[in-house]
């Protein structure tokens, strides 16, 4: 282009030699060309980098949006325990996860509350329907508690205070692995964990059981439970017994709290059943005494009737005797009268005979 303008003294391609001026000019123009090309390459690189960064940022934003949509969808369908990775700068995702966590906590709280309310309602229904017999009551309640709480074995120990000098805890219901166990067991007050809970009136929760304390037998062999809960059956400071439950898994706090509440209701029902049984015994004794009294009264009435009949018979015989005696007296009187009359007649005859004899004597003398 410079040659075209007429600067003949400047040669770029056709000179056979290169002086200093030409070299400098060539270097200058090469530097300009290099600078222009480098600057253009720099601008192009920045453009490409910005384009790539914008694309990556757009992809990141799309991923963030997709994550937020996924979190929202999971929340919408009720899945509150999903684990989705989010960016540190994604405030919306953080807010959604906080909302998800709060909803999860609320749902867990609601589930626990529903679990508690359903357990109380079902147990109350069992207590209402099984309050006629102590054995039926404890067995039905024990079966429900083991199944509802996921237990493996349990027992009801009820205070036996029929003899004032010999009070002890009697195992009246035992249940394990969906089978009713018939075991006669007696525990003195203060003996072992059960006896200690009765005396201390405080629940015991153990995750490390003494060796060979309790074994659960199944078709696969023997196994020791990993968790034991022993609670007093107490209401209004009056204790009626002890409830013992064994679990393979660790028992959650809300289940322990539910057990404590249910134990109060169970203790109240046990107290009512004991009162009803004592009342029934007293009523049976009263009825038996009444029957005995009626029998005695009937016997006494019969004796009185017999006595009255005997008295009437005696009175009748006495009247007959009196009548006979009266007749006898009348007969005696009649006989006496007759005798007197005969005597008088005899006396008259004697006197006549004497007079005749006297007259005869006189006649003879004459």
């Amino acid at each position: 282009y410079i040659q075209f303008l007429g600067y003949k003294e400047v040669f770029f391609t056709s000179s056979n030699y290169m002086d200093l001026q030409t070299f400098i000019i060539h270097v200058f123009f090469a530097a300009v060309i290099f600078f222009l090309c480098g600057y253009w390459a720099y601008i192009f690189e920045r453009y490409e980098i910005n384009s790539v960064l914008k694309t990556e940022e757009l992809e990141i934003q799309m991923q963030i949006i997709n994550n937020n949509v996924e979190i929202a969808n999971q929340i919408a369908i009720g899945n509150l325990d999903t684990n989705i990775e989010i960016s540190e700068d994604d405030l919306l995702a953080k807010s959604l996860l906080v909302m998800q966590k709060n909803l999860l906590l609320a749902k867990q709280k609601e589930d626990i509350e529903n679990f508690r309310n359903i357990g109380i309602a079902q147990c109350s229904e069992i207590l209402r329907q099984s309050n006629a017999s102590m054995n039926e009551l404890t067995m039905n309640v024990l079966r429900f508690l083991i199944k509802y709480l996921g237990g493996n074995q349990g027992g009801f120990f009820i205070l036996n205070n029929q003899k004032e000098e010999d009070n002890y805890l009697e195992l009246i219901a035992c249940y394990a692995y969906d089978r009713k166990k018939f075991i006669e067991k007696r525990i003195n007050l203060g003996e072992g964990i059960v006896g200690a809970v009765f005396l201390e009136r405080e629940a015991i929760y153990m995750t490390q059981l003494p060796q060979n304390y309790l074994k659960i037998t199944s078709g696969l062999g023997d196994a020791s439970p990993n968790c034991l809960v022993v609670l007093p059956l107490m209401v209004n400071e009056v204790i009626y017994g002890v409830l013992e439950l064994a679990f393979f898994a660790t028992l959650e706090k809300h289940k322990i709290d539910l057990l404590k509440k249910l134990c109060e209701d169970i203790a109240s029902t046990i107290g009512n059943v004991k009162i009803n049984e004592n009342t029934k015994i007293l009523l049976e004794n009263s009825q038996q005494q009444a029957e005995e009294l009626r029998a005695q009264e009937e016997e006494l009435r019969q004796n009185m009737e017999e006595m009255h009949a005997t008295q009437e018979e005696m009175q009748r015989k006495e009247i007959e005797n009196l009548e006979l005696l009266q007749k006898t007296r009348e007969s005696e009187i009649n006989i006496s009268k007759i005798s007197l009359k005969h005597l008088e007649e005899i006396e008259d005859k004697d006197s006549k005979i004497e007079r005749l004899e006297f007259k005869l004597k006189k006649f003879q003398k004459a």
Side-chain angles (χ1 to χ4, degrees):
Y1 178 74
I2 292 174
Q3 287 177 339
F4 179 77
L5 291 177
Y7 296 98
K8 303 297 184 183
E9 65 276 9
V10 180
F11 299 95
F12 289 95
T13 61
S14 62
S15 63
N16 296 322
Y17 64 95
M18 184 177 291
D19 56 8
L20 180 61
Q21 182 181 1
T22 302
F23 177 75
I24 292 174
I25 291 173
H26 277 271
V27 171
F28 173 75
F29 281 106
V32 170
I33 292 171
F34 180 80
F35 173 77
L36 291 175
C37 292
Y39 182 70
W40 178 80
Y42 173 75
I43 293 175
F44 182 76
E45 180 187 19
R46 295 302 302 173
Y47 173 79
E48 291 296 329
I49 290 175
N50 290 333
S51 178
V52 171
L53 290 177
K54 287 181 180 180
T55 303
E56 291 179 352
E57 184 178 357
L58 182 61
E59 291 178 353
I60 292 173
Q61 291 297 328
M62 289 299 297
Q63 182 65 33
I64 290 173
I65 292 173
N66 291 333
N67 288 341
N68 294 338
V69 171
E70 180 65 20
I71 294 173
N73 290 334
Q74 293 297 325
I75 293 174
I77 64 177
N79 189 5
L80 303 177
D81 56 354
T82 56
N83 186 14
I84 299 176
E85 295 183 0
I86 63 172
S87 173
E88 293 293 333
D89 299 329
D90 189 0
L91 299 180
L92 178 59
K94 288 183 178 179
S95 299
L96 288 174
L97 289 179
V98 170
M99 181 179 69
Q100 184 187 38
K101 182 178 180 181
N102 293 333
L103 289 174
L104 179 61
L105 293 176
K107 184 177 182 300
Q108 290 175 349
K109 185 177 180 181
E110 182 181 2
D111 292 342
I112 291 173
E113 191 66 24
N114 290 336
F115 182 84
R116 170 186 171 88
N117 294 335
I118 293 173
I120 293 175
Q122 292 183 358
C123 186
S124 298
E125 183 66 17
I126 293 173
L127 294 175
R128 185 184 64 82
Q129 295 179 353
S130 307
N131 58 3
S133 169
M134 183 70 71
N135 292 330
E136 179 184 2
L137 170 70
T138 53
M139 181 52 62
N140 291 340
V141 171
L142 191 58
R143 183 185 294 110
F144 164 74
L145 291 177
I146 290 177
K147 290 185 177 180
Y148 191 72
L149 298 176
N152 302 98
Q153 183 167 314
F156 264 108
F157 296 85
I158 303 300
L159 176 64
N160 189 325
N161 55 357
Q162 295 179 356
K163 298 180 181 179
E164 295 183 358
E165 67 280 0
D166 186 21
N167 294 342
Y168 60 92
L169 294 172
E170 181 182 5
L171 179 64
I172 64 173
C174 183
Y175 194 82
Y177 271 111
D178 200 27
R179 293 182 180 178
K180 182 178 178 182
K181 300 294 184 181
F182 297 92
I183 302 174
E184 294 182 0
K185 191 172 183 181
R186 166 184 171 141
I187 296 180
N188 296 323
L189 304 185
E191 179 184 356
I193 297 176
V194 174
V197 168
F198 182 86
L199 289 183
E200 298 296 333
R201 301 190 176 189
E202 292 290 338
I204 291 180
Y205 176 70
M206 302 177 62
T207 55
Q208 294 181 352
L209 274 65
Q211 188 176 6
N212 297 328
Y213 175 79
L214 185 65
K215 282 189 177 296
I216 298 176
T217 303
S218 70
L220 302 177
D222 296 338
S224 297
N226 299 319
C227 175
L228 181 70
V229 182
V230 186
L231 304 102
L233 300 172
M234 183 174 62
V235 61
N236 296 329
E237 301 300 324
V238 179
I239 186 167
Y240 296 97
V242 174
L243 171 64
E244 183 183 45
L245 295 175
F247 301 83
F248 280 139
T250 303
L251 197 63
E252 296 88 344
K253 183 179 182 301
H254 69 274
K255 292 185 178 181
I256 298 176
D257 295 336
L258 175 61
L259 270 175
K260 291 180 179 179
K261 174 63 177 66
L262 292 180
C263 281
E264 295 180 2
D265 299 337
I266 295 170
S268 178
T269 306
I270 288 176
N272 294 333
V273 171
K274 277 199 165 187
I275 292 174
N276 294 337
E277 287 183 347
N278 292 334
T279 303
K280 184 178 180 181
I281 292 174
L282 292 176
L283 181 61
E284 290 176 353
N285 293 335
S286 176
Q287 291 176 349
Q288 184 178 358
Q289 291 176 357
E291 290 178 357
E292 292 177 355
L293 183 60
R294 282 196 296 270
Q296 292 177 358
E297 289 178 352
E298 181 66 19
E299 184 179 358
L300 181 61
R301 186 184 63 79
Q302 292 178 358
N303 293 335
M304 291 294 294
E305 289 179 354
E306 292 177 359
M307 184 181 296
H308 184 67
T310 303
Q311 288 179 349
E312 289 181 351
E313 181 68 18
M314 291 178 64
Q315 289 178 356
R316 186 180 63 78
K317 288 183 178 181
E318 186 176 358
I319 291 172
E320 290 178 354
N321 292 333
L322 288 174
E323 291 178 352
L324 181 61
L325 181 61
Q326 183 69 25
K327 290 180 179 180
T328 303
R329 286 181 179 180
E330 290 178 355
S331 299
E332 289 178 351
I333 291 172
N334 292 331
I335 291 172
S336 299
K337 289 180 178 179
I338 294 171
S339 299
L340 287 174
K341 185 176 180 181
H342 285 305
L343 286 174
E344 289 178 352
E345 292 178 353
I346 292 171
E347 288 179 354
D348 290 338
K349 289 180 178 180
D350 289 340
S351 60
K352 288 181 178 181
I353 291 171
E354 287 179 356
R355 284 197 302 270
L356 289 173
E357 288 179 353
F358 182 73
K359 289 179 177 183
L360 181 60
K361 285 179 179 182
K362 281 184 175 183
F363 180 75
Q364 289 177 351
K365 285 179 179 182

